Amino acid sequence: MAVSVLVVEDDKNIAELLQMYLEKEGYAVTVAHDGGAGLSKFRTIGPDIVLLDVMMPVMDGWSVCKAIRAEAQTPIIMLTAKGETDDKVTGLKAGADDYITKPFEMKEVLARIEAVLRRTSGATTEKKARRLTFDKLIIDMDAFELIVDGKKVDTPPKEMELLFHLASSPNRVYTRNQLLDEVWGFDYFGDSRTVDVHVKRLREKLEGVSDQWSVKTVWGVGYKFEVV
C-alpha cells in the first residue's frame, strides 16, 4: 500500500507541484488549501505524514499542528517562509518534527519525508527498552509520556526523542551534527539551531527538578545528559 501524504498548502501552484512530484515517487497524495480543510482531511484519511504550510486561511499551520498533535503522533513537516526564524521556532514548539524553508527543492522535500518515515517505521520494530527512569524523571517512549516529579508534562515528539536519545547514554557527549543525524535520522543540511531550540525547551521543563541529573552544554562540542 502506498504511503499517504497530506499536503496542506494554500498556494495552489506549490500544492500542485508537491502533489505531482510526490505521486511520481509513488506516494498517495491528498491536498487541502486551508487549515480547516486540512484538519478535516487529516481526521478522515489518517495520513502517514503531513506537509503543513504556516500562513493559511481559516486556521494557520501552528493551530493545525497543535490540533493534530493533540490527537496523534503523525509526523509533521512545516513549510515556512524564507528567513522566518520565528516561524521555525513556533512550529517546533507546536510539535512539528521538522521544517522546510521556501523556496525549496523537491529533492530536499523527498529526503526529509523519507528520513521521517524511516525513523518512525524503525521505531515500531525496535525491541529494546523504551522506558528510562531517573530521580523524579520517567521517559516512556512506548506510552510517549514524560513524567517529571510525578506529573505528566506535555512534550512534542521530537523533544521526547532527543531527551530519550541523550538519556539512553548518560554522560556521553553528542555534537549537534551527531544529534541531527541520529535523532532526525539523516545528514541534516539545515540549521543546527534546531537542536538548540529543542534543548532550550527541554530545559524549561526539567530545570531544577533533580540534582542527580541534568541536560548539560559542553561548550564548543554539544550536549550530554549528565548523571552524577
Side-chain angles (χ1 to χ4, degrees):
M1 182 180 294
V3 173
S4 60
V5 181
L6 174 61
V7 176
V8 189
E9 167 64 68
D10 67 328
D11 186 319
K12 293 187 178 181
N13 290 329
I14 293 176
E16 289 175 4
L17 182 66
L18 286 167
Q19 183 173 16
M20 179 179 68
Y21 274 92
L22 291 174
E23 288 181 344
K24 183 179 178 182
E25 294 295 318
Y27 293 99
V29 181
T30 301
V31 174
H33 295 300
D34 67 67
L39 185 57
S40 177
K41 288 187 177 182
F42 173 83
R43 290 167 172 162
T44 300
I45 68 174
D48 296 304
I49 189 168
V50 179
L51 300 185
L52 182 60
D53 187 28
V54 172
M55 300 308 295
M56 294 183 295
V58 184
M59 291 177 70
D60 63 34
W62 302 314
S63 299
V64 176
C65 181
K66 289 178 181 177
I68 289 175
R69 192 55 73 231
E71 300 174 13
Q73 300 303 326
T74 305
I76 299 170
I77 299 177
M78 303 292 291
L79 306 176
T80 69
K82 183 178 181 181
E84 292 296 328
T85 302
D86 288 346
D87 283 359
K88 300 172 185 177
V89 174
T90 303
L92 295 171
K93 288 180 180 178
D97 294 271
D98 200 357
Y99 59 82
I100 300 173
T101 302
K102 299 177 184 178
F104 48 73
E105 295 185 14
M106 282 308 304
K107 64 181 181 180
E108 179 185 5
V109 176
L110 294 171
R112 297 200 183 201
I113 289 174
E114 289 168 5
V116 168
L117 293 174
R118 183 167 62 246
R119 183 173 68 248
T120 53
S121 64
T124 62
T125 59
E126 190 173 309
K127 299 301 182 183
K128 66 180 182 180
R130 301 280 290 170
R131 189 176 191 269
L132 301 176
T133 302
F134 300 91
D135 179 53
K136 299 180 182 178
L137 178 69
I138 299 172
I139 310 164
D140 191 336
M141 295 301 290
D142 289 325
F144 235 89
E145 290 182 347
L146 180 64
I147 309 298
V148 180
D149 201 12
K151 298 178 181 179
K152 181 179 177 181
V153 177
D154 290 335
T155 308
K158 196 53 57 189
E159 288 179 27
M160 284 283 293
E161 291 177 27
L162 177 59
L163 179 59
F164 182 82
H165 193 75
L166 289 168
S168 293
S169 300
N171 300 318
R172 175 183 169 181
V173 180
Y174 290 88
T175 67
R176 289 173 177 82
N177 285 337
Q178 283 177 320
L179 291 170
L180 288 168
D181 183 37
E182 295 171 17
V183 177
W184 274 254
F186 63 104
D187 291 324
Y188 193 87
F189 43 85
D191 188 352
S192 65
R193 187 171 181 267
T194 297
V195 175
D196 300 333
V197 169
H198 283 76
V199 169
K200 180 177 183 293
R201 297 298 296 173
L202 283 170
R203 281 178 171 156
E204 289 173 358
K205 298 176 173 71
L206 303 175
E207 205 81 61
V209 172
S210 173
D211 59 3
Q212 296 184 28
W213 52 263
S214 61
V215 178
K216 288 279 190 180
T217 299
V218 181
W219 297 110
V221 184
Y223 297 102
K224 66 177 178 177
F225 185 85
E226 185 174 87
V227 175
V228 296

